[in-house]
Amino acid sequence: SAVISQKPSRDICQRGTSLTIQCQVDSQVTMMFWYRQQPGQSLTLIATANQGSEATYESGFVIDKFPISRPNLTFSTLTVSNMSPEDSSIYLCSAGLAGGEQFFGPGTRLTVL
Amino acid sequence: KNEVEQSPQNLTAQEGEFITINCSYSVGISALHWLQQHPGGGIVSLFMLSSGKKKHGRLIATINIQEKHSSLHITASHPRDSAVYICAVTGNFNKFYFGSGTKLNVKP
């Protein structure tokens, strides 16, 4: 298994600013993912965070808006840039293990005013 | 059409009732997952299964690969079981597809 922590757990931000969310895993994992969960919706994959190379983004998500770093096998960051109220969501990171299981972080609840 | 369909969307039960949540999927999968999300937002993995049946305490998950269908059962439900239950599948390239979730409210 893997235990995942995220910081911050929640934040309230002003329109036009940026927020960086950190994700820490307690063990080395091959795959890390970032998801968005808009109010009342299910999870949507933003991107796969690749160690040592650029993240792989899903359709509808771009690097300029959601830059991702993954400097090693236990840590990743997601930045939500130039925020607008439409970015208000829960952002979750997850770690994928070789057997196909994913473990999720506690989420970051973002409110943009 | 969503790759993963769940029903019901909302479910209210009295404490002690037997609960069933259903999940159907339309893609090829290597595994199916049942997840639990509490109001704070964090998600806990309950089960990962690729065939048959698994049981943890009062929770039972079954999958029928031929019919592309899975069920999550909760026996002797309790108010602390109130949460959103999400069905997800691992498809090609380890990509996850999520159902829309079932919001369960168990009343005392």
Side-chain angles (χ1 to χ4, degrees), chain A residues 10 31 33 35 37 40-45 58 90 92 97-107 109, chain B residues 30-31 33 35 37-45 47-48 84 86 90 93-96 98-101:
Chain A
R10 59 177 62 230
M31 306 183 80
F33 305 92
Y35 293 90
Q37 187 179 31
Q41 305 290 318
S42 192
L43 285 77
T44 300
L45 180 64
E58 296 297 305
I90 297 174
L92 297 110
L97 303 188
E101 195 163 9
Q102 282 197 27
F103 294 89
F104 291 84
R109 188 179 293 271
Chain B
S30 57
H33 310 259
L35 311 171
Q37 185 173 33
H38 281 281
I43 291 176
V44 174
S45 178
F47 294 103
M48 182 178 80
V84 176
I86 301 170
T90 306
F93 309 108
N94 273 344
K95 184 171 181 177
F96 257 42
F98 294 89
S100 56

Side-chain angles (χ1 to χ4, degrees), chain A residues 1-3 24-30 70 73-75 95 97:
Chain A
S1 66
V3 177
Q24 180 75 54
V25 189
D26 70 340
S27 58
Q28 292 186 344
V29 293
T30 306
R70 183 151 180 218
L73 293 176
T74 64
F75 185 78
L97 303 188

Side-chain angles (χ1 to χ4, degrees), chain A residues 19-73:
Chain A
L19 175 72
T20 295
I21 303 167
Q22 299 180 5
C23 177
Q24 180 75 54
V25 189
D26 70 340
S27 58
Q28 292 186 344
V29 293
T30 306
M31 306 183 80
M32 292 182 74
F33 305 92
W34 286 98
Y35 293 90
R36 180 176 73 182
Q37 187 179 31
Q38 294 177 301
Q41 305 290 318
S42 192
L43 285 77
T44 300
L45 180 64
I46 297 171
T48 302
N50 301 309
Q51 194 266 328
S53 65
E54 196 170 283
T56 305
Y57 289 84
E58 296 297 305
S59 175
F61 297 96
V62 295
I63 188 171
D64 289 346
K65 176 68 176 176
F66 297 102
I68 288 170
S69 78
R70 183 151 180 218
N72 56 50
L73 293 176

Side-chain angles (χ1 to χ4, degrees), chain B residues 61-86:
Chain B
T62 64
I63 186 170
N64 184 318
I65 297 294
Q66 287 73 30
E67 295 185 4
K68 295 191 173 181
H69 181 269
S70 175
S71 293
L72 176 69
H73 306 286
I74 304 175
T75 61
S77 59
H78 190 276
R80 65 175 174 265
D81 296 325
S82 299
V84 176
Y85 292 83
I86 301 170

Side-chain angles (χ1 to χ4, degrees), chain B residues 13-68:
Chain B
Q14 287 298 129
E15 183 173 356
E17 286 185 359
F18 180 84
I19 288 164
T20 296
I21 301 170
N22 294 302
C23 174
S24 297
Y25 55 92
S26 58
V27 294
I29 70 168
S30 57
L32 183 140
H33 310 259
W34 282 102
L35 311 171
Q36 181 190 56
Q37 185 173 33
H38 281 281
I43 291 176
V44 174
S45 178
L46 298 175
F47 294 103
M48 182 178 80
L49 63 166
S50 53
S51 66
K53 175 179 171 179
K54 286 189 176 181
K55 184 176 187 291
H56 290 157
R58 295 180 293 106
L59 302 179
I60 303 167
T62 64
I63 186 170
N64 184 318
I65 297 294
Q66 287 73 30
E67 295 185 4
K68 295 191 173 181

Side-chain angles (χ1 to χ4, degrees), chain A residues 65-100:
Chain A
K65 176 68 176 176
F66 297 102
I68 288 170
S69 78
R70 183 151 180 218
N72 56 50
L73 293 176
T74 64
F75 185 78
S76 178
T77 67
L78 168 76
T79 299
V80 186
S81 303
N82 188 24
M83 289 183 284
S84 67
E86 292 71 34
D87 294 319
S88 298
S89 294
I90 297 174
Y91 292 86
L92 297 110
C93 73
S94 75
L97 303 188

